[in-house]
Amino acid sequence: MKVPNFYGTFSVLSSKAKKRMFFLFPVILVGIVLETISIGMVVPALGILMSESYFEDFPFLHDCLGFLGNPSHEVLIFIGLSGLAGAFLLKNIFLFFQFQCQGTFVFSAQREIALNLFNLYLRRDYLFHLRTNSSELLRNLTTEVSLYCSYFLMPLLNLLTESLVILAILSLIFFVEPKGTVFLVIFLVTLVFLFVKATNRVVGSWGQKRLVAEEGKLKHLSQGLGGIKEILLSGKLEFFLRRFHKPNKVAGLMHKREYIFQYVPKLGVEVIAIFGLVFMCSYLILQNKSSQEVTHMLGLIATAGFRMIPSFSRILNNLQSIRYGKPGVDTLVEEFKKHSTPLEQERNNPQSDSQDRLIFTRDIQFKNISFSYAGGEDEVLKDINFKISHGEIIGLAGESGSGKSTLVNLFLGLIQPSMGRLLVDDIKLDCTNFSCWQKMIGYVPQEIYLLDDSLRRNIAFGLDDDAINDERVLEVIRLSQLENLLKNDTEGLDLVLGERGVRLSGGQRQRIGIARALYHDPQILVLDEATSALDLKTEQEILNTFTPFRGKKTVLVIAHRETSLEMCSRIFEMRNGKIELR
């Protein structure tokens, strides 16, 4: 099996998790010592049980026996068996503590990895999210993070523990019977090598197929549930079920194969252990050992085998699990490597949370701005030049594909121009002041993203309860003419809106979007096709809510419907990536 790059695979762990892993090793070593002592106690316990003269071969223990009053053979048997039972009891109590430490480490790491990866995704620029399928991100954040811990981190700890246990037990047996132990080690190493060689490629291919299938499952689930209304109306349920069925079947099949394959080592190891015991017994007899020596040795081997058989089986299982989970591990490592670089660059750019870095009192200027998407040859925006004065209401019209959305994303600071400059009071917008700029903007899109939460939390979007100002919430409800929603419901601000606002009308959803945009009292409002899906009467009612802001706030209205642009002092039109004043 190809040796994995463990430095790379551990790179997804936080520095705190790596420190916890370091402190976990002494716990594992103490457990291994106790495992070895408990098994080593079998030989003296059997010796005392089978021979009254057992201690005559150990002169250094005579003083200890004298100190105890030279107890009878029956008392020594009781002491020996009690010592054996006590050793196993102490070992198992400590192993319970060890398993607790391992479980705490692994699942704390799982929680931290998911949080850190989510943080990396959220901090990526808008273009990244445009190019990346959300089902891939969801798969990485849920399935792959979970499998990293259950198919790599935990198996690796178990592999280390079980390997050291077997090494310690074999060392103990080697001390008693060197030649037989050498043959046993050669046999076991050969067995592991052959097993890994035979299963490495096929198990790895199962892991890769599972990885692709899991992404397909999430993609088709998202599409099926997201478009449920259209699916029900069109009667296309079977189509979406079929599309989900294929990756679901493949993922289930790969999990089934891996599950069944886990039992192969256990069944094989048990058969091999019996043959090994017969071999060791025959070897000792051929060495002309006395029956008492053979009995002692077989007792030790039987006890050691009782512990080594499951350990050896788990070693093979853990090797198999690591190989099965390797595609997912490689994906996570690549994700952290790929997304950590932009985040480090962002940290190296000084950003200020203060509005003093950027003040808007005069105008916003687009100067010679052009834009093309990465990998695209054609320019979406071509030499854009125009100015928006403070307090002005500007309209932006144009057909679909004319470049309106790209221009708005650039205005919002979500993307940066390929050429040219966007100036606010003659200060260029760049990565050092984008955060200040975006805090000045209230954005109302065509489709309002609503949380399945209370009206209060939807309006004060992204704020904890103790940071929400209810007086301000009520004020923006009044400004956006949402009072009727409160009057018709006894829950008030605690009214739960349902998933994607299913309990609301289209007009109410837009008004909540307006209230959210106004909550932080922004200097600039951007209405991005905010009323295009509404009827004319509702549209006019919503547009009337912006009349009081004329001269006080700068408003950019993006629309293709003329009625949405009636309140604008100037209207610019986009055509083929170029802008002109009507």
Side-chain angles (χ1 to χ4, degrees), residues 83-113:
L84 178 64
F88 273 88
L89 177 63
L90 178 63
K91 177 204 72 170
N92 287 332
I93 291 174
F94 186 84
L95 287 183
F96 176 76
F97 169 72
Q98 179 184 325
F99 296 150
Q100 269 194 320
C101 292
Q102 288 183 207
T104 300
F105 163 70
V106 169
F107 293 106
S108 295
Q110 178 178 326
R111 182 181 66 247
E112 290 175 0
I113 292 168

mmCIF file of all heavy atoms in Angstrom, residues 83-113:
data_model
loop_
_atom_site.group_PDB
_atom_site.id
_atom_site.type_symbol
_atom_site.label_atom_id
_atom_site.label_comp_id
_atom_site.label_asym_id
_atom_site.label_seq_id
_atom_site.Cartn_x
_atom_site.Cartn_y
_atom_site.Cartn_z
ATOM 1 N N GLY A 83 -4.228 -11.573 41.997
ATOM 2 C CA GLY A 83 -3.353 -10.639 41.270
ATOM 3 C C GLY A 83 -3.682 -10.604 39.789
ATOM 4 O O GLY A 83 -3.692 -9.535 39.166
ATOM 5 N N LEU A 84 -3.962 -11.799 39.214
ATOM 6 C CA LEU A 84 -4.326 -11.869 37.804
ATOM 7 C C LEU A 84 -5.629 -11.125 37.539
ATOM 8 O O LEU A 84 -5.727 -10.314 36.600
ATOM 9 C CB LEU A 84 -4.467 -13.343 37.386
ATOM 10 C CG LEU A 84 -4.891 -13.600 35.943
ATOM 11 C CD1 LEU A 84 -3.833 -13.091 34.976
ATOM 12 C CD2 LEU A 84 -5.146 -15.095 35.721
ATOM 13 N N ALA A 85 -6.645 -11.377 38.397
ATOM 14 C CA ALA A 85 -7.938 -10.699 38.229
ATOM 15 C C ALA A 85 -7.801 -9.194 38.434
ATOM 16 O O ALA A 85 -8.381 -8.385 37.695
ATOM 17 C CB ALA A 85 -8.968 -11.277 39.206
ATOM 18 N N GLY A 86 -6.987 -8.800 39.447
ATOM 19 C CA GLY A 86 -6.784 -7.372 39.713
ATOM 20 C C GLY A 86 -6.096 -6.666 38.555
ATOM 21 O O GLY A 86 -6.437 -5.519 38.228
ATOM 22 N N ALA A 87 -5.124 -7.368 37.938
ATOM 23 C CA ALA A 87 -4.415 -6.772 36.804
ATOM 24 C C ALA A 87 -5.368 -6.515 35.645
ATOM 25 O O ALA A 87 -5.327 -5.454 35.009
ATOM 26 C CB ALA A 87 -3.265 -7.684 36.367
ATOM 27 N N PHE A 88 -6.239 -7.494 35.363
ATOM 28 C CA PHE A 88 -7.203 -7.318 34.265
ATOM 29 C C PHE A 88 -8.243 -6.244 34.601
ATOM 30 O O PHE A 88 -8.658 -5.483 33.727
ATOM 31 C CB PHE A 88 -7.891 -8.651 33.952
ATOM 32 C CG PHE A 88 -7.134 -9.494 32.970
ATOM 33 C CD1 PHE A 88 -6.157 -10.383 33.404
ATOM 34 C CD2 PHE A 88 -7.361 -9.397 31.607
ATOM 35 C CE1 PHE A 88 -5.443 -11.155 32.503
ATOM 36 C CE2 PHE A 88 -6.658 -10.163 30.701
ATOM 37 C CZ PHE A 88 -5.689 -11.044 31.142
ATOM 38 N N LEU A 89 -8.645 -6.183 35.886
ATOM 39 C CA LEU A 89 -9.609 -5.159 36.290
ATOM 40 C C LEU A 89 -9.011 -3.761 36.137
ATOM 41 O O LEU A 89 -9.643 -2.864 35.560
ATOM 42 C CB LEU A 89 -10.037 -5.393 37.740
ATOM 43 C CG LEU A 89 -11.009 -4.352 38.325
ATOM 44 C CD1 LEU A 89 -12.330 -4.366 37.564
ATOM 45 C CD2 LEU A 89 -11.236 -4.613 39.819
ATOM 46 N N LEU A 90 -7.783 -3.585 36.630
ATOM 47 C CA LEU A 90 -7.117 -2.290 36.526
ATOM 48 C C LEU A 90 -6.926 -1.899 35.064
ATOM 49 O O LEU A 90 -7.145 -0.750 34.672
ATOM 50 C CB LEU A 90 -5.762 -2.352 37.242
ATOM 51 C CG LEU A 90 -4.905 -1.076 37.176
ATOM 52 C CD1 LEU A 90 -5.617 0.080 37.860
ATOM 53 C CD2 LEU A 90 -3.545 -1.315 37.824
ATOM 54 N N LYS A 91 -6.528 -2.885 34.245
ATOM 55 C CA LYS A 91 -6.318 -2.621 32.824
ATOM 56 C C LYS A 91 -7.606 -2.144 32.156
ATOM 57 O O LYS A 91 -7.608 -1.156 31.406
ATOM 58 C CB LYS A 91 -5.822 -3.885 32.126
ATOM 59 C CG LYS A 91 -5.641 -3.747 30.620
ATOM 60 C CD LYS A 91 -5.719 -5.075 29.899
ATOM 61 C CE LYS A 91 -7.149 -5.602 29.883
ATOM 62 N NZ LYS A 91 -7.320 -6.770 29.004
ATOM 63 N N ASN A 92 -8.695 -2.833 32.425
ATOM 64 C CA ASN A 92 -9.957 -2.487 31.753
ATOM 65 C C ASN A 92 -10.515 -1.148 32.224
ATOM 66 O O ASN A 92 -11.111 -0.405 31.433
ATOM 67 C CB ASN A 92 -10.983 -3.598 31.964
ATOM 68 C CG ASN A 92 -10.667 -4.831 31.133
ATOM 69 O OD1 ASN A 92 -10.054 -4.724 30.073
ATOM 70 N ND2 ASN A 92 -11.041 -5.996 31.616
ATOM 71 N N ILE A 93 -10.310 -0.806 33.494
ATOM 72 C CA ILE A 93 -10.742 0.505 33.982
ATOM 73 C C ILE A 93 -9.963 1.602 33.262
ATOM 74 O O ILE A 93 -10.528 2.606 32.815
ATOM 75 C CB ILE A 93 -10.551 0.621 35.511
ATOM 76 C CG1 ILE A 93 -11.546 -0.296 36.233
ATOM 77 C CG2 ILE A 93 -10.717 2.063 35.975
ATOM 78 C CD1 ILE A 93 -11.342 -0.372 37.735
ATOM 79 N N PHE A 94 -8.657 1.385 33.123
ATOM 80 C CA PHE A 94 -7.841 2.388 32.438
ATOM 81 C C PHE A 94 -8.180 2.455 30.954
ATOM 82 O O PHE A 94 -8.195 3.546 30.369
ATOM 83 C CB PHE A 94 -6.351 2.075 32.614
ATOM 84 C CG PHE A 94 -5.468 3.159 32.054
ATOM 85 C CD1 PHE A 94 -5.164 4.281 32.813
ATOM 86 C CD2 PHE A 94 -4.965 3.086 30.762
ATOM 87 C CE1 PHE A 94 -4.374 5.304 32.295
ATOM 88 C CE2 PHE A 94 -4.184 4.089 30.237
ATOM 89 C CZ PHE A 94 -3.884 5.204 31.013
ATOM 90 N N LEU A 95 -8.450 1.291 30.338
ATOM 91 C CA LEU A 95 -8.797 1.296 28.913
ATOM 92 C C LEU A 95 -10.091 2.062 28.662
ATOM 93 O O LEU A 95 -10.244 2.708 27.620
ATOM 94 C CB LEU A 95 -8.926 -0.133 28.388
ATOM 95 C CG LEU A 95 -7.612 -0.902 28.216
ATOM 96 C CD1 LEU A 95 -7.885 -2.276 27.620
ATOM 97 C CD2 LEU A 95 -6.642 -0.140 27.331
ATOM 98 N N PHE A 96 -11.035 2.003 29.618
ATOM 99 C CA PHE A 96 -12.259 2.793 29.491
ATOM 100 C C PHE A 96 -11.915 4.275 29.465
ATOM 101 O O PHE A 96 -12.450 5.043 28.639
ATOM 102 C CB PHE A 96 -13.205 2.494 30.650
ATOM 103 C CG PHE A 96 -14.453 3.328 30.641
ATOM 104 C CD1 PHE A 96 -15.485 3.061 29.757
ATOM 105 C CD2 PHE A 96 -14.590 4.403 31.521
ATOM 106 C CE1 PHE A 96 -16.633 3.837 29.732
ATOM 107 C CE2 PHE A 96 -15.732 5.185 31.503
ATOM 108 C CZ PHE A 96 -16.759 4.896 30.614
ATOM 109 N N PHE A 97 -11.004 4.680 30.336
ATOM 110 C CA PHE A 97 -10.545 6.074 30.355
ATOM 111 C C PHE A 97 -9.840 6.421 29.033
ATOM 112 O O PHE A 97 -10.044 7.501 28.468
ATOM 113 C CB PHE A 97 -9.594 6.280 31.534
ATOM 114 C CG PHE A 97 -8.854 7.583 31.508
ATOM 115 C CD1 PHE A 97 -9.506 8.779 31.764
ATOM 116 C CD2 PHE A 97 -7.494 7.615 31.216
ATOM 117 C CE1 PHE A 97 -8.818 9.992 31.726
ATOM 118 C CE2 PHE A 97 -6.803 8.818 31.176
ATOM 119 C CZ PHE A 97 -7.466 10.007 31.437
ATOM 120 N N GLN A 98 -9.031 5.477 28.522
ATOM 121 C CA GLN A 98 -8.323 5.704 27.258
ATOM 122 C C GLN A 98 -9.295 5.883 26.101
ATOM 123 O O GLN A 98 -9.131 6.784 25.269
ATOM 124 C CB GLN A 98 -7.391 4.524 26.973
ATOM 125 C CG GLN A 98 -6.633 4.653 25.657
ATOM 126 C CD GLN A 98 -5.795 3.417 25.352
ATOM 127 O OE1 GLN A 98 -5.258 2.787 26.248
ATOM 128 N NE2 GLN A 98 -5.696 3.061 24.067
ATOM 129 N N PHE A 99 -10.329 5.039 26.047
ATOM 130 C CA PHE A 99 -11.322 5.159 24.967
ATOM 131 C C PHE A 99 -12.067 6.487 25.057
ATOM 132 O O PHE A 99 -12.417 7.090 24.030
ATOM 133 C CB PHE A 99 -12.309 3.997 25.025
ATOM 134 C CG PHE A 99 -11.676 2.653 24.773
ATOM 135 C CD1 PHE A 99 -12.189 1.506 25.364
ATOM 136 C CD2 PHE A 99 -10.558 2.535 23.966
ATOM 137 C CE1 PHE A 99 -11.605 0.272 25.139
ATOM 138 C CE2 PHE A 99 -9.963 1.311 23.733
ATOM 139 C CZ PHE A 99 -10.492 0.171 24.321
ATOM 140 N N GLN A 100 -12.308 6.941 26.293
ATOM 141 C CA GLN A 100 -12.939 8.249 26.478
ATOM 142 C C GLN A 100 -12.065 9.362 25.904
ATOM 143 O O GLN A 100 -12.560 10.264 25.208
ATOM 144 C CB GLN A 100 -13.181 8.516 27.972
ATOM 145 C CG GLN A 100 -14.540 8.063 28.478
ATOM 146 C CD GLN A 100 -14.824 8.652 29.846
ATOM 147 O OE1 GLN A 100 -13.953 8.746 30.701
ATOM 148 N NE2 GLN A 100 -16.062 9.048 30.076
ATOM 149 N N CYS A 101 -10.771 9.284 26.188
ATOM 150 C CA CYS A 101 -9.832 10.305 25.684
ATOM 151 C C CYS A 101 -9.782 10.287 24.162
ATOM 152 O O CYS A 101 -9.791 11.337 23.512
ATOM 153 C CB CYS A 101 -8.437 10.053 26.257
ATOM 154 S SG CYS A 101 -8.304 10.344 28.033
ATOM 155 N N GLN A 102 -9.728 9.078 23.579
ATOM 156 C CA GLN A 102 -9.675 8.968 22.124
ATOM 157 C C GLN A 102 -10.951 9.500 21.482
ATOM 158 O O GLN A 102 -10.902 10.229 20.495
ATOM 159 C CB GLN A 102 -9.454 7.506 21.707
ATOM 160 C CG GLN A 102 -8.061 6.997 21.982
ATOM 161 C CD GLN A 102 -7.831 5.575 21.511
ATOM 162 O OE1 GLN A 102 -7.002 4.858 22.035
ATOM 163 N NE2 GLN A 102 -8.568 5.141 20.509
ATOM 164 N N GLY A 103 -12.109 9.116 22.044
ATOM 165 C CA GLY A 103 -13.386 9.582 21.498
ATOM 166 C C GLY A 103 -13.529 11.091 21.607
ATOM 167 O O GLY A 103 -13.985 11.756 20.667
ATOM 168 N N THR A 104 -13.108 11.650 22.746
ATOM 169 C CA THR A 104 -13.172 13.104 22.930
ATOM 170 C C THR A 104 -12.298 13.813 21.916
ATOM 171 O O THR A 104 -12.701 14.812 21.303
ATOM 172 C CB THR A 104 -12.723 13.480 24.356
ATOM 173 O OG1 THR A 104 -13.582 12.842 25.308
ATOM 174 C CG2 THR A 104 -12.782 14.996 24.552
ATOM 175 N N PHE A 105 -11.088 13.289 21.716
ATOM 176 C CA PHE A 105 -10.167 13.903 20.748
ATOM 177 C C PHE A 105 -10.744 13.863 19.339
ATOM 178 O O PHE A 105 -10.773 14.884 18.632
ATOM 179 C CB PHE A 105 -8.815 13.182 20.783
ATOM 180 C CG PHE A 105 -7.963 13.464 19.582
ATOM 181 C CD1 PHE A 105 -7.399 14.712 19.395
ATOM 182 C CD2 PHE A 105 -7.760 12.495 18.618
ATOM 183 C CE1 PHE A 105 -6.625 14.983 18.276
ATOM 184 C CE2 PHE A 105 -6.990 12.756 17.490
ATOM 185 C CZ PHE A 105 -6.422 14.007 17.323
ATOM 186 N N VAL A 106 -11.214 12.694 18.908
ATOM 187 C CA VAL A 106 -11.669 12.528 17.522
ATOM 188 C C VAL A 106 -12.882 13.392 17.225
ATOM 189 O O VAL A 106 -12.932 14.103 16.220
ATOM 190 C CB VAL A 106 -11.962 11.041 17.226
ATOM 191 C CG1 VAL A 106 -12.679 10.900 15.886
ATOM 192 C CG2 VAL A 106 -10.670 10.237 17.209
ATOM 193 N N PHE A 107 -13.871 13.365 18.115
ATOM 194 C CA PHE A 107 -15.105 14.076 17.802
ATOM 195 C C PHE A 107 -14.999 15.579 18.081
ATOM 196 O O PHE A 107 -15.747 16.368 17.503
ATOM 197 C CB PHE A 107 -16.279 13.425 18.533
ATOM 198 C CG PHE A 107 -16.558 12.043 18.018
ATOM 199 C CD1 PHE A 107 -16.212 10.919 18.756
ATOM 200 C CD2 PHE A 107 -17.104 11.862 16.762
ATOM 201 C CE1 PHE A 107 -16.435 9.644 18.247
ATOM 202 C CE2 PHE A 107 -17.336 10.596 16.248
ATOM 203 C CZ PHE A 107 -16.996 9.484 16.994
ATOM 204 N N SER A 108 -14.053 15.976 18.942
ATOM 205 C CA SER A 108 -13.752 17.406 19.058
ATOM 206 C C SER A 108 -13.082 17.888 17.780
ATOM 207 O O SER A 108 -13.362 18.990 17.287
ATOM 208 C CB SER A 108 -12.831 17.664 20.261
ATOM 209 O OG SER A 108 -13.476 17.361 21.472
ATOM 210 N N ALA A 109 -12.190 17.049 17.244
ATOM 211 C CA ALA A 109 -11.528 17.392 15.981
ATOM 212 C C ALA A 109 -12.551 17.498 14.859
ATOM 213 O O ALA A 109 -12.467 18.405 14.017
ATOM 214 C CB ALA A 109 -10.478 16.334 15.645
ATOM 215 N N GLN A 110 -13.533 16.591 14.832
ATOM 216 C CA GLN A 110 -14.571 16.635 13.801
ATOM 217 C C GLN A 110 -15.345 17.945 13.863
ATOM 218 O O GLN A 110 -15.598 18.584 12.835
ATOM 219 C CB GLN A 110 -15.530 15.456 13.981
ATOM 220 C CG GLN A 110 -16.686 15.447 12.980
ATOM 221 C CD GLN A 110 -17.582 14.233 13.157
ATOM 222 O OE1 GLN A 110 -17.124 13.154 13.509
ATOM 223 N NE2 GLN A 110 -18.859 14.395 12.915
ATOM 224 N N ARG A 111 -15.698 18.351 15.066
ATOM 225 C CA ARG A 111 -16.424 19.617 15.236
ATOM 226 C C ARG A 111 -15.590 20.802 14.766
ATOM 227 O O ARG A 111 -16.083 21.695 14.071
ATOM 228 C CB ARG A 111 -16.797 19.777 16.716
ATOM 229 C CG ARG A 111 -17.605 21.022 17.026
ATOM 230 C CD ARG A 111 -17.913 21.133 18.501
ATOM 231 N NE ARG A 111 -16.720 21.346 19.304
ATOM 232 C CZ ARG A 111 -16.229 20.463 20.164
ATOM 233 N NH1 ARG A 111 -16.813 19.306 20.331
ATOM 234 N NH2 ARG A 111 -15.141 20.735 20.865
ATOM 235 N N GLU A 112 -14.302 20.821 15.117
ATOM 236 C CA GLU A 112 -13.426 21.935 14.744
ATOM 237 C C GLU A 112 -13.170 21.971 13.241
ATOM 238 O O GLU A 112 -13.145 23.043 12.630
ATOM 239 C CB GLU A 112 -12.098 21.813 15.496
ATOM 240 C CG GLU A 112 -12.214 22.088 16.984
ATOM 241 C CD GLU A 112 -10.899 21.843 17.707
ATOM 242 O OE1 GLU A 112 -9.909 21.463 17.040
ATOM 243 O OE2 GLU A 112 -10.868 22.028 18.933
ATOM 244 N N ILE A 113 -12.976 20.793 12.630
ATOM 245 C CA ILE A 113 -12.711 20.747 11.188
ATOM 246 C C ILE A 113 -13.904 21.305 10.414
ATOM 247 O O ILE A 113 -13.748 22.096 9.485
ATOM 248 C CB ILE A 113 -12.405 19.301 10.743
ATOM 249 C CG1 ILE A 113 -11.069 18.835 11.316
ATOM 250 C CG2 ILE A 113 -12.355 19.200 9.215
ATOM 251 C CD1 ILE A 113 -10.830 17.338 11.160
#
